[in-house]
Amino acid sequence: MDNQGPDNQGPDDQGSKGRGPHARVLQTLGPAITSGDCPPGTVLRTDELEQRFEVSRTVVREAVRVLESMHLVESRRRVGVTVRPAEDWDVFDPQVIRWRLAGPDRPRQLRSLTALRSSIEPAAAALAAEHATPEQCAELTEHALGMVATSRGQQLAGYLVHDIAFHRVILRASGNEMFARLGDVVAAVLTGRTEHEVMFTDPDPEAVTLHVRVAEAVRERDAERAEAYTREITVGALRELDILAP
Amino acid sequence: MDNQGPDNQGPDDQGSKGRGPHARVLQTLGPAITSGDCPPGTVLRTDELEQRFEVSRTVVREAVRVLESMHLVESRRRVGVTVRPAEDWDVFDPQVIRWRLAGPDRPRQLRSLTALRSSIEPAAAALAAEHATPEQCAELTEHALGMVATSRGQQLAGYLVHDIAFHRVILRASGNEMFARLGDVVAAVLTGRTEHEVMFTDPDPEAVTLHVRVAEAVRERDAERAEAYTREITVGALRELDILAP
DNA sequence: GGACCAAATAAGTATGACTTTTGAGTCACG
DNA sequence: CGTGACTCAAAAGTCATACTTATTTGGTCC
């Protein structure tokens, strides 16, 4: 019974560098907490975790330290490792976002993220219109056209790639490092939307057109139009959610 | 360089529990990286850090793990702990934000955060108008009036308290957990503005009025007005920055 | 000159001993 | 009978050391 974990999540790590005991513990404990499997107030003892994962204190402690830095748990002497209430969690931590998107909290998480997105992206587009380099403008146009090309005939995978790339460029071109960092979040939302069969049919042609218009506006340095069209895109995304789960 | 000043920042740590060797290492290494003192590409070896901080391997490793989870460093075998480029950092991590606000990157950080704020808060206000409880409406009014009362006569400290509380309530009342989490960020920005003598004079009376109007709009469930007035507030904040450091 | 193998190196893991904090139980005293 | 202080033990925190594993480097052989 070496690696015969009783409730192992499985060796299918999709991208979260899952080699090493440390990562294994982290990638098990993190989701367990964010999924509500270990509800707030739950107390974990270090030696109990040692046995459960069959690793040394070193590994457990390092994993706990990381969870602590995400405000998922609090470690106190004579008490143990306590799971903190959800409102304390660092919900902006990409790792936490991924865990929650993979858990039962997914719908709520997608809503939050979409709302965040629709307030950020228009502003980012306006800034992008002012700061985008010619190369970035070219990329935008390229991906907008790519979206047009893949918008019909069940080419959702290809469409998604261009969609994500498009929004990534916008966020990066804004020149604001914090906006740029949200590229991963937007990618997660868009991917989630496709996966979650919200878009099992071809994308809304109007949305496709809007992307083309945004690319135009940015190229022409028209911040106002870039912002307005982007807002239409994100408002559409919000409406989509409301229709699906009011 | 020994750490002759372990906590010259002040002993009043509001949230960063600074006791223990682990925290000491983290609170020294983190700022050293985010400040550019250890530029990207710098390689730190574990045993070197052990000697430098006079702590055991355990402590160094735990600190490094946390820095790694923030994407500030990358630890590789046979190489060491490498400082990662700034664009990889988790700039949304509250800890990273605090470190950068305390370092030479502060102006840039304040700009980013203010831009973030001005795109988020209007949306939050609109949502707050829909979701705010009567208690939250009362709080809003209270703090808006508090701002009015402290807006004259060099009562900046009191004004700041109400200002922060006001925006915190807006963000929390939005019902979006991610918006709510930005309360600390907004607090940091507002505090930074006051500290940084951007507001060494009494606050703009117009801004004060706008806060009162936002409170009114939320109370009357008028999302559109709440959003518009909030946008005026944050646009004003942006303009303030542009005037100070164009 | 290129491919392949071996040694050196530094992170990663395991373990046992010891320290510090702190919750809880206990006992004396009002 | 209640309240305060005192003691004890449980669990995290720290340290030192030995050992493992991966990776780079460099040298050798074809």
Side-chain angles (χ1 to χ4, degrees), chain A residues 61-62 88-89 100 181, chain B residues 61-62 88-89 181:
Chain A
R61 286 187 48 73
E62 285 172 13
D88 291 345
W89 300 348
R100 295 185 65 197
R181 247 304 179 178
Chain B
R61 285 189 49 73
E62 285 171 13
D88 291 346
W89 299 348
R181 247 306 179 176

Side-chain angles (χ1 to χ4, degrees), chain A residues 144-187:
Chain A
L145 292 182
M147 289 176 71
V148 172
T150 55
S151 63
R152 288 171 179 277
Q154 303 294 326
Q155 308 183 55
L156 282 181
Y159 182 84
L160 180 63
V161 170
H162 286 296
D163 198 3
I164 288 177
F166 182 92
H167 290 280
R168 255 190 217 284
V169 174
I170 287 282
L171 290 167
R172 184 140 28 86
S174 73
N176 183 319
E177 56 186 352
M178 306 202 74
F179 288 175
R181 247 304 179 178
L182 289 174
D184 291 336
V185 168
V186 172

Side-chain angles (χ1 to χ4, degrees), chain B residues 186-207:
Chain B
V186 172
V189 171
L190 294 176
T191 305
R193 194 168 58 160
T194 303
E195 279 177 355
H196 220 240
E197 54 196 348
V198 177
M199 291 175 68
F200 54 88
T201 178
D202 282 350
D204 179 11
E206 205 170 324

Side-chain angles (χ1 to χ4, degrees), chain A residues 22 61-62 65 68 88-89 91-92 100 108-109 112-113 115-116 119-120 123 176-178 181, chain B residues 17 22 61-62 65 69 88-89 91-92 100 108-109 112-113 115-116 119-120 123 176-178 181:
Chain A
H22 168 77
R61 286 187 48 73
E62 285 172 13
R65 277 286 203 245
E68 203 174 17
D88 291 345
W89 300 348
V91 286
F92 278 94
R100 295 185 65 197
R108 181 183 157 84
Q109 178 76 0
S112 298
L113 291 175
L116 182 74
S119 61
I120 294 270
N176 183 319
E177 56 186 352
M178 306 202 74
R181 247 304 179 178
Chain B
K17 40 178 164 183
H22 169 76
R61 285 189 49 73
E62 285 171 13
R65 279 287 201 230
S69 86
D88 291 346
W89 299 348
V91 287
F92 279 94
R100 295 185 64 196
R108 181 182 157 84
Q109 178 75 0
S112 298
L113 291 174
L116 183 74
S119 60
I120 294 271
N176 183 319
E177 54 185 354
M178 306 202 75
R181 247 306 179 176

Side-chain angles (χ1 to χ4, degrees), chain A residues 41-214:
Chain A
T42 305
V43 175
L44 309 164
R45 283 192 328 283
T46 300
D47 53 347
E48 173 205 327
L49 294 174
E50 284 179 49
Q51 292 173 14
R52 177 168 153 201
F53 291 101
E54 294 177 317
V55 293
S56 70
R57 269 204 306 297
T58 314
V59 171
V60 170
R61 286 187 48 73
E62 285 172 13
V64 166
R65 277 286 203 245
V66 172
L67 292 174
E68 203 174 17
S69 85
M70 298 170 177
H71 297 97
L72 259 53
V73 302
E74 186 183 3
S75 183
R76 292 180 57 195
R77 277 179 159 134
R78 168 71 197 210
V79 174
V81 178
T82 315
V83 177
R84 299 180 66 166
E87 63 258 32
D88 291 345
W89 300 348
D90 270 356
V91 286
F92 278 94
D93 188 304
Q95 186 69 98
V96 174
I97 290 177
R98 248 173 285 151
W99 288 336
R100 295 185 65 197
L101 277 178
D105 215 15
R106 181 193 183 91
R108 181 183 157 84
Q109 178 76 0
L110 266 180
R111 289 187 82 80
S112 298
L113 291 175
T114 304
L116 182 74
R117 209 196 130 195
S118 46
S119 61
I120 294 270
E121 284 206 64
L127 286 173
E130 295 171 4
H131 297 125
T133 66
E135 291 78 29
Q136 288 169 330
C137 290
E139 284 182 67
L140 277 184
T141 309
E142 178 192 340
H143 292 302
L145 292 182
M147 289 176 71
V148 172
T150 55
S151 63
R152 288 171 179 277
Q154 303 294 326
Q155 308 183 55
L156 282 181
Y159 182 84
L160 180 63
V161 170
H162 286 296
D163 198 3
I164 288 177
F166 182 92
H167 290 280
R168 255 190 217 284
V169 174
I170 287 282
L171 290 167
R172 184 140 28 86
S174 73
N176 183 319
E177 56 186 352
M178 306 202 74
F179 288 175
R181 247 304 179 178
L182 289 174
D184 291 336
V185 168
V186 172
V189 172
L190 294 177
T191 304
R193 193 169 58 161
T194 303
E195 279 177 356
H196 220 239
E197 55 195 348
V198 177
M199 293 175 66
F200 52 89
T201 177
D202 281 350
D204 179 11
E206 205 171 324
V208 179
T209 308
L210 283 169
H211 282 80
V212 176
R213 292 225 193 276
V214 170

